[in-house]
């Protein structure tokens, strides 16, 4: 049964956990399904034309096991074995439900999925993670001497997918040699960015987890290197809350302007992770080790004013005038002689480059190990199952 479900619909962890709980239409009558009803239900299931969704499949799996074998009696699969762990959890959740009741519930559930009731299924399709054809998750524009790189995934709080990291690396390489004087990062919508898209690590088959962590570590290192090596003044226009990697990277920016509705949050410990973006080196230098530790170890969220007082933010503007004031100022800066801008940046940053590359390499290696840890797996499970919000 388990094999059949997996073969026909092959649920990934993300699919399994993202579906909302479905109305199961359980029979409340005292009626008991016979062996024949149970067998018919199994056959009826094979004829379904529409995928009932992973929540329902997990429920069917659990009820089948309970009806045929009784309460869950197998060892708990490892945290890394996402799919079998989800199945085990579903079965185990049935506790000591009698076999006959499980059989009846199974029959009722299959019956509720028959073609006549398929149209009333409340299962939603999985949210698309990757860029859709025609959509632009990163928008790059060049005007008035400014290359603007904008996070443009507002419905996901501008969370950064794997393809967005690659697009940003590409955009930075192009901006380093284009005609613009300065390069500016900003976000579309109410968030600057909620950092790494946490589903980058959840929609992964169990046997590819180590490879995925390794590839992510390589990508992270290349991504942060692109900021370390960027030759022109780099400005962040922080239009709203910023979380994770988009905060740590600010230590590699030359100027950071923030709206007073922006916040700065690095919840690495809560996520079972560790700092990246060279923050383990830049933050203590910028704000002193004690203040850096409060952010990077304990995940203290800062207001824009606090971030400014700690030297992470250059200046804070009232939200009502933020865009106007900031862009007027940046347009004026972009008229300054471009070579002079580059040379001054080079003088400020060059002594640090070698150190920053070494820090980036180490942080990326440490994070690779963290992504495989049980602490991190737990945090990701919590996020995708929406049991916790930061
Ligand atoms: C390969 C390089 C790896 C580099 C590693 C970097 C490490 C980091 O960046 S760690 C930081 C990771 N980010 C987070 O932990 C933030 C997680 N998100 C949240 O806690 C909340 O979503 C929020 C506080 C940002 C916003 O909460 P709010 O209640 O206002 O809105 P939501 O309903 O939660 O969000 C709307 C929509 O957006 C999705 N979403 C938001 N942030 C992320 C994210 N980081 N990853 C994936 N998806 C995200 C959220 O799930 C909602 O989606 P649905 O509408 O489909 O439910």
């Amino acid at each position: 049964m388990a094999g059949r479900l997996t073969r026909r619909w092959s649920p990934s962890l993300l699919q399994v956990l993202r579906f909302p709980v479905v109305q199961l239409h359980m029979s409340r009558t005292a009626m008991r399904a016979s062996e024949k009803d149970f067998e018919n239900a199994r056959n009826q299931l094979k004829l379904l034309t529409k995928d009932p969704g992973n929540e329902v499949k997990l429920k069917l799996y659990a009820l089948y096991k309970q009806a045929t074998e009784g309460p869950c009696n197998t060892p708990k699969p490892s945290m890394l074995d996402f799919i079998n762990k989800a199945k085990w959890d579903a079965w185990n959740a049935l506790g000591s439900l009698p076999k006959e009741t499980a059989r009846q519930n199974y029959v009722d559930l299959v019956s509720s999925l028959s073609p006549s009731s398929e149209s009333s299924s409340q299962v939603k399709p999985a949210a698309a993670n990757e860029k859709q054809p025609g959509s632009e998750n990163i928008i790059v524009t060049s005007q008035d001497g400014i290359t603007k790189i904008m996070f443009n995934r507002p419905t996901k709080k501008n969370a950064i997918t794997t393809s967005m990291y690659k697009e940003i690396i590409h955009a930075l390489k192009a901006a380093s040699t284009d005609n613009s004087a300065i390069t500016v990062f900003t976000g579309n919508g109410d968030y600057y960015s909620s950092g790494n898209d946490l589903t980058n690590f959840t929609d992964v088959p169990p046997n590819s987890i180590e490879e995925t962590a390794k590839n992510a570590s390589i990508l992270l290192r290349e991504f942060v290197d692109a900021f370390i090596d960027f030759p022109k003044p780099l400005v962040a226009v922080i239009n709203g809350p910023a979380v994770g990697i988009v905060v740590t990277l600010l230590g590699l920016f030359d100027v950071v302007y923030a709206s007073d509705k922006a916040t700065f949050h690095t919840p690495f410990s809560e996520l079972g992770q560790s700092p990246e973006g060279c923050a383990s080196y830049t933050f203590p230098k910028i704000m002193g080790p004690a203040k850096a530790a409060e952010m990077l170890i304990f995940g203290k969220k800062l207001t824009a004013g606090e971030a400014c007082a700690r030297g992470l933010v250059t200046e804070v503007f009232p939200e009502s005038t933020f865009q106007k004031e900031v862009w007027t100022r940046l347009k004026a800066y972009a008229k300054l002689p471009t070579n002079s801008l580059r040379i001054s940046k080079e003088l400020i940053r060059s002594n640090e480059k070698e150190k920053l590359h070494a820090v980036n390499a180490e942080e990326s290696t440490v994070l690779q190990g963290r992504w495989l840890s049980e602490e991190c797996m737990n945090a990701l499970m919590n996020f995708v199952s929406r049991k916790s919000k930061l």
Side-chain angles (χ1 to χ4, degrees), residues 44-301:
Q44 202 182 330
L45 192 60
K46 293 180 201 159
L47 301 175
L48 277 189
T49 52
K50 205 162 142 191
D51 183 340
N54 291 305
E55 283 287 346
V56 175
K57 283 185 275 184
L58 276 180
K59 193 78 198 168
L60 284 166
Y61 168 80
L63 288 170
Y64 180 86
K65 296 291 276 184
Q66 192 85 9
T68 53
E69 296 178 35
C72 182
N73 55 8
T74 58
K76 188 175 180 174
S78 87
M79 291 301 298
L80 298 180
D81 192 356
F82 286 128
I83 293 174
N84 285 320
K85 166 89 171 32
K87 287 178 174 174
W88 187 91
D89 284 341
W91 183 13
N92 192 47
L94 295 181
S96 56
L97 186 77
K99 277 186 170 182
E100 301 71 35
T101 314
R103 198 163 62 192
Q104 179 64 52
N105 287 352
Y106 181 91
V107 170
D108 286 344
L109 179 52
V110 173
S111 150
S112 77
L113 300 171
S114 67
S116 59
S117 50
E118 273 185 2
S119 60
S120 66
S121 165
Q122 297 186 16
V123 178
K124 283 193 294 193
N129 175 20
E130 292 301 321
K131 193 169 135 178
Q132 296 301 301
S135 80
E136 290 288 344
N137 292 336
I138 297 293
I139 294 187
V140 184
T141 48
S142 246
Q143 204 181 356
D144 301 319
I146 300 170
T147 291
K148 182 167 86 172
I149 301 176
M150 185 166 71
F151 303 114
N152 183 42
R153 214 177 157 226
T155 56
K156 298 286 177 185
K157 309 294 183 191
N158 295 328
I160 308 173
T161 60
T162 301
S163 60
M164 287 165 74
Y165 286 110
K166 293 177 186 166
E167 285 176 54
I168 292 169
I169 294 169
H170 181 76
L172 281 172
K173 290 207 168 119
S176 66
T177 55
D178 70 11
N179 291 331
S180 63
I182 61 181
T183 297
V184 179
F185 274 79
T186 194
N188 186 20
D190 59 342
Y191 261 64
Y192 176 65
S193 165
S194 61
N196 188 41
D197 188 311
L198 294 175
T199 65
N200 287 340
F201 295 117
T202 55
D203 205 4
V204 177
N207 58 357
S208 310
I209 291 174
E210 295 201 352
E211 196 193 339
T212 302
K214 187 171 167 216
N215 290 340
S217 170
I218 293 168
L219 178 61
L220 171 65
R221 187 169 169 188
E222 195 190 342
F223 179 72
V224 175
D225 276 347
F227 285 83
I228 297 171
D229 290 330
F230 192 70
K232 299 177 182 178
L234 200 49
V235 179
V237 171
I238 313 282
N239 53 297
V243 187
I245 189 163
V246 297
V247 177
T248 54
L249 278 176
L250 295 178
L252 301 175
F253 278 68
D254 301 298
V255 163
V256 178
Y257 294 137
S259 153
D260 60 9
K261 77 178 176 75
T263 52
F264 300 82
H265 192 197
T266 48
F268 300 126
S269 299
E270 195 169 339
L271 291 167
Q273 298 187 27
S274 53
E276 74 307 272
C278 294
S280 61
Y281 178 71
T282 59
F283 276 29
K285 281 193 79 173
I286 290 169
M287 58 187 81
K291 298 284 188 197
E294 205 185 15
M295 279 190 86
L296 297 177
I297 301 177
F298 295 124
K300 181 180 164 70
K301 191 199 279 191

